[in-house]
Amino acid sequence: PTIDSTQLGICIATGHIVWINGPFRCGMHDITVFRQACIGALSEGEKVEADNGYIGEGVYISTPNEFNPKDEEKMKDLARSRHETVNGRNKIFSVLAKDFRHDTTFHSPCFRACCVVTQINIETDSPPFAVNYNDKYLKEKKE
């Protein structure tokens, strides 16, 4: 079977990897995976920043929105960009960039090991760029 995707959660405040999920077989949509695995892991009132592949769960997910103030969208875009930077660091491992030629039961431990190495690099050598994320917009919308 083909492994299509894995998911990482990155702390907006620190850039650290805080959540690892997957792998998933080809054809499973991002929002489906989120609904099955992530919603239950969120604290009450907590939201995640995500790209447009996650539209449909506005209570839990903040996605790009052309109607938001420009400074809010720029801030959120930076948070998503840093997330992609961390994803890119994981992709330097061939196990994540090429077809996985072993039994699929080994893919999750391999992916998690790559995440651990990436996290050690983040903590010791090369943190991702800083994001000054102000969640005032989320608070204002709740009131």
Side-chain angles (χ1 to χ4, degrees):
T2 302
I3 302 296
D4 184 41
S5 68
T6 51
Q7 292 182 330
L8 289 181
I10 309 301
C11 176
I12 291 173
T14 66
H16 290 190
I17 298 170
V18 295
W19 188 70
I20 302 169
N21 195 17
F24 309 100
R25 297 188 189 277
C26 275
M28 187 172 253
H29 296 285
D30 291 340
I31 192 68
T32 303
V33 172
F34 179 84
R35 287 176 177 141
Q36 290 177 356
C38 189
I39 288 176
L42 296 174
S43 300
E44 186 177 334
E46 185 177 18
K47 282 184 126 176
V48 300
E49 281 293 335
D51 61 32
N52 285 329
Y54 293 85
I55 288 176
E57 288 292 346
V59 172
Y60 303 104
I61 304 172
S62 176
T63 56
N65 182 339
E66 64 183 277
F67 300 109
N68 283 338
K70 289 193 185 301
D71 59 333
E72 177 183 1
E73 280 308 303
K74 181 174 174 138
M75 171 193 68
K76 291 177 176 210
D77 187 50
L78 282 171
R80 288 187 292 272
S81 178
R82 182 175 61 183
H83 187 118
E84 291 306 319
T85 297
V86 174
N87 279 342
R89 290 183 186 186
N90 259 348
K91 290 178 182 176
I92 64 167
F93 298 99
S94 292
V95 68
L96 302 176
K98 298 180 180 175
D99 287 340
F100 193 73
R101 302 199 185 281
H102 306 284
D103 188 278
T104 56
T105 59
F106 296 120
H107 194 276
S108 182
C110 288
F111 174 63
R112 290 169 190 280
C114 293
C115 291
V116 167
V117 172
T118 298
Q119 180 60 32
I120 290 169
N121 178 260
I122 287 169
E123 290 180 24
T124 60
D125 249 3
S126 184
F129 61 88
V131 172
N132 186 11
Y133 191 94
N134 183 343
D135 65 354
K136 72 177 184 175
Y137 298 105
L138 296 176
K139 292 176 185 172
E140 288 172 3
K141 290 178 184 173
K142 286 182 185 177
E143 294 173 353

